[in-house]
Amino acid sequence: LNRRVPEPPGQDEIAQLARTANATLDRLERAIGRQRQFASDASHELRTPIAGLRANLEDASMHPEDNDLRAVVDSALRDTDRLESIVTDLLLLARIGTGAAAEESIDLPRLAEAEIARRTFALKVSTEFDGEVTVRGVRMQLVRLLGNLLDNAERYADELVTVEVSREGRHALLTVTDDGVGIPPEDRERVFERFTRLDAARDRGSGGTGLGLAIAREIAQAHGGTLRVVERSRGTRFALRLPLAGE
Ligand code: ADP
């Protein structure tokens, strides 16, 4: 979107077409900027009342004499946590792809190994890495992307999560696979939409915001890559493709 058509001098049709195309791109870019600004402003505005609410509730929870009141306050505190996570995730979504964060060279197998080591998986995790696979990216964002896939895999797997990194032509390919309930074919795109939960009764208690995969895909796309669900007979596999550094 940052690219503009070269504008030849003069008044002929090509010159006019080029100017119209560029003016439209300018307008589009400003509109997207306003959208992002709105999401960012709204998230910041929401943070203040949430912080106030939390402080009051924490204060109230210090008085444990009244059991009924305590239960109400504890439940309100949990709602506050939830609100806070949603606001944080929305703010992150508004920021991805704005070019504000610095890029660096990142070796994907090393990043994946570090992320797996940092977690205490209750399940078995098997990894397969194919030498050095370097991409350009915003480290914090790629950590978040992978973290979201690992969180889901761990949540839905029966007993095994597999993480693989390899090269495929000019791309790095990272897959996270679990042996759990799977995602029905008709929902394989829908899970990337904001606030999607396939099974509200099952998922709501999970503490997720329903924004995890929307964030993951937004990060993949901001890095010139893709994130998809791969068809499988059992369990779920997410495939992340990112351009290799220097390609
Ligand atoms: P949440 O915060 O609810 O985890 P996500 O955007 O990460 O939100 O995921 C959206 C929905 O996609 C989940 O609520 C779940 O229904 C489904 N889902 C995600 N990952 C998996 C998986 N590995 N196996 C089965 N279902 C999944």
Side-chain angles (χ1 to χ4, degrees):
L1 201 63
N2 289 325
R3 292 205 197 120
R4 292 293 179 269
V5 182
E7 291 182 23
Q11 286 303 322
D12 63 8
E13 239 173 86
I14 302 275
Q16 283 181 24
L17 200 63
R19 277 198 292 277
T20 312
N22 286 341
T24 307
L25 281 173
D26 286 342
R27 278 212 302 281
L28 203 58
E29 202 171 84
R30 280 198 296 274
I32 291 171
R34 279 197 300 274
Q35 282 277 0
R36 286 192 191 284
Q37 191 60 47
F38 166 73
S40 173
D41 290 347
S43 309
H44 279 299
E45 289 297 321
L46 283 165
R47 269 183 196 288
T48 314
I50 293 171
L53 188 59
R54 168 189 293 289
N56 281 325
L57 288 170
E58 278 172 354
D59 202 27
S61 77
M62 295 300 183
H63 306 285
E65 312 81 45
D66 183 338
N67 275 334
D68 289 343
L69 179 65
R70 227 201 127 84
V72 173
V73 168
D74 284 346
S75 155
L77 265 173
R78 281 195 298 277
D79 285 339
T80 313
D81 281 342
R82 226 185 134 58
L83 263 175
E84 217 163 34
S85 324
I86 293 173
V87 168
T88 305
D89 279 358
L90 282 175
L91 187 58
L92 177 66
L93 261 172
R95 280 185 183 153
I96 299 165
T98 54
E103 288 201 346
E104 55 187 298
S105 287
I106 294 168
D107 181 44
L108 272 188
R110 283 207 0 231
L111 183 127
E113 247 165 10
E115 253 328 273
I116 292 166
R118 220 171 49 80
R119 287 151 189 271
T120 43
F121 274 103
L123 302 151
K124 198 172 155 214
V125 182
S126 125
T127 52
E128 201 166 316
F129 300 140
D130 175 12
E132 235 177 59
V133 183
T134 314
V135 299
R136 295 279 306 168
V138 181
R139 183 176 295 276
M140 212 191 67
Q141 291 183 2
L142 293 182
V143 164
R144 179 66 197 262
L145 193 175
L146 182 62
N148 288 357
L149 297 182
L150 291 174
D151 283 346
N152 283 340
E154 190 181 20
R155 190 176 299 151
Y156 296 105
D158 277 344
E159 46 191 34
L160 181 66
V161 176
T162 310
V163 181
E164 292 177 298
V165 186
S166 60
R167 291 155 173 270
E168 202 186 68
R170 300 167 149 204
H171 286 86
L173 174 64
L174 181 151
T175 60
V176 177
T177 310
D178 67 65
D179 60 351
V181 285
I183 297 176
E186 65 272 20
D187 292 321
R188 287 196 183 132
E189 273 304 302
R190 208 163 66 83
V191 290
F192 293 103
E193 287 167 20
R194 295 169 188 200
F195 301 116
T196 297
R197 287 199 191 82
L198 297 185
D199 178 350
R202 179 190 67 193
D203 295 334
R204 208 159 294 263
S206 69
T209 58
L211 289 168
L213 288 175
I215 289 174
R217 180 173 266 184
E218 192 83 17
I219 292 174
Q221 289 174 347
H223 285 75
T226 57
L227 178 65
R228 293 205 180 89
V229 177
V230 181
E231 170 135 18
R232 277 175 78 71
S233 53
R234 182 161 179 236
T236 306
R237 170 173 293 163
F238 284 93
L240 168 71
R241 275 189 184 72
L242 294 175
L244 285 168
E247 293 282 339

